[in-house]
Amino acid sequence: MDRIASANVFVTIAERGSLAAAAEALDMSRAMVTRYLAEMEEWAGARLLHRTTRRLGLTAAGEVTLARCRELLALAGAIPAAGDAGAGAPRGLLRVACAQFLAQTALADALAGFLRRYPQVTVDLQVDNRAVNLVEQRIDLAIRITNALEPNQIARKLGECRSMLAAAPAYLAERGTPADPQDLARHNCLAYSYFGKSVWTLAGAGAAVVEVPVGGNLSSNESMALLAAAGQGAGIAMQPRFVVMPEVAAGRLVEVLPDWQPQALGIHAIYTSRQHMPPALRALLDYLADWFARHGSEF
């Protein structure tokens, strides 16, 4: 973790009188402030704060560390910007995380365009279907498709991901085609582990919304695996439209219940703080927001 950032957080806690006030002042999550404080205490090798239900105070080691942190921050602030007028141009390494299907179908294309525009930036794309811990895994930006952001997460919405139901022609020929959402209860539904595993929410004409209990003999945390299984006739899958439509166009899948739309999910860029954001990260956020806006009809 960045020790200068840890020092800045510790000084802010001491000056504001609480972790919650420091989080608000720094525009960070409470969890992030707590982690920076833990890093600072590990670096100092001592407990820096007394915590009670009524107040927060400095230990003896905390008093000494506070003075040294202020000196450190003053020195850091005095370092002149290096290079010429172009020193503020986006450059450096960015670590980006997203799920495999999003990397394959959208983000790889978006990042290729970004790197052509900003050739001094390097991106390390971490593909993981689980929600990563940005601090522990040193991730600068995570792209997630969800409607369940944690309350203290800092996120920028990039767009919306629409889904659809689809199955192979052979499966529908054998099991029949659902005529209404309740028919899904008698079908083998291939569930995504992180969303709608047991209940699918569908909206029909006239804004009617139904929640349909579903079940099946295959679930996965990998969207592309479910898509492949659906193509082999294993059941009905609910997947993002931009992933399914090429399979429908090729005749390998057929849209099911086209008059009923699954709940849309937000596409979010998640990061740790708006304070002192590197030019490369700000440029990537702006580029992705523009990219998803231009390609919104595909999602």
Side-chain angles (χ1 to χ4, degrees):
M1 195 177 276
D2 186 340
R3 286 183 169 179
I4 292 179
S6 299
N8 184 47
V9 168
F10 175 57
V11 169
T12 305
I13 293 170
E15 292 177 345
R16 299 281 176 156
S18 73
L19 274 67
E24 182 177 358
L26 295 170
D27 197 14
M28 287 184 180
S29 68
R30 173 69 180 271
M32 185 66 62
V33 168
T34 301
R35 290 191 180 104
Y36 275 121
L37 175 60
E39 173 72 13
M40 196 68 232
E41 289 185 324
E42 182 179 349
W43 187 19
R47 189 176 183 83
L48 302 179
L49 297 173
H50 293 300
R51 301 179 184 85
T52 69
T53 56
R54 291 179 175 268
R55 63 186 299 273
L56 179 150
L58 293 167
T59 64
E63 294 280 2
V64 174
T65 303
L66 178 61
R68 291 176 177 171
C69 283
R70 283 173 170 155
E71 293 175 2
L72 173 63
L73 293 174
L75 286 171
I79 298 174
D84 54 22
R91 67 182 66 201
L93 173 66
L94 291 175
R95 289 171 58 85
V96 179
C98 73
Q100 182 177 350
F101 81 92
L102 187 59
Q104 291 176 341
T105 56
L107 206 58
D109 181 46
L111 289 176
F114 172 76
L115 292 173
R116 284 193 295 270
R117 181 177 298 182
Y118 300 105
Q120 294 181 337
V121 177
T122 300
V123 173
D124 180 9
L125 181 60
Q126 302 290 307
V127 178
D128 196 327
N129 295 315
R130 298 168 297 176
V132 298
N133 184 303
L134 274 67
V135 176
E136 293 179 359
Q137 295 177 242
R138 298 182 294 111
I139 299 297
D140 297 295
L141 189 69
I143 310 299
R144 295 179 189 162
I145 297 180
T146 181
N147 284 342
L149 290 173
E150 296 176 14
N152 57 3
Q153 281 184 326
I154 298 172
R156 179 172 176 178
K157 189 173 181 179
L158 302 174
E160 285 197 334
C161 176
R162 295 172 298 145
S163 296
M164 62 187 291
L165 306 181
Y171 173 86
L172 297 176
E174 178 183 350
R175 299 286 299 272
T177 299
D180 63 64
Q182 302 307 324
D183 289 345
L184 293 171
R186 60 180 178 81
H187 281 271
N188 199 50
C189 296
L190 312 180
Y192 185 53
S193 301
Y194 296 132
F195 178 75
K197 186 170 183 178
S198 58
V199 176
W200 286 354
T201 302
L202 305 174
V209 176
V210 297
E211 293 186 344
V212 184
V214 296
N217 59 10
L218 176 64
S219 64
S220 176
N221 67 341
E222 171 44 52
S223 183
M224 302 303 285
L226 295 177
L227 187 68
Q232 293 299 316
I236 299 174
M238 181 173 69
Q239 294 294 308
R241 293 189 69 88
F242 68 93
V243 174
V244 179
M245 285 308 297
E247 300 299 304
V248 172
R252 290 186 288 270
L253 291 176
V254 175
E255 184 172 9
V256 174
L257 296 174
D259 294 331
W260 291 86
Q261 303 302 314
Q263 181 183 18
L265 299 175
I267 305 173
H268 300 275
I270 300 170
Y271 48 104
T272 57
S273 174
R274 297 186 182 94
Q275 294 287 326
H276 311 298
M277 185 181 293
L281 180 54
R282 185 175 299 280
L284 179 56
L285 275 169
D286 291 342
Y287 185 90
L288 289 177
D290 177 69
W291 191 92
F292 278 98
R294 287 186 286 110
H295 293 79
S297 61
E298 301 172 17
F299 293 88

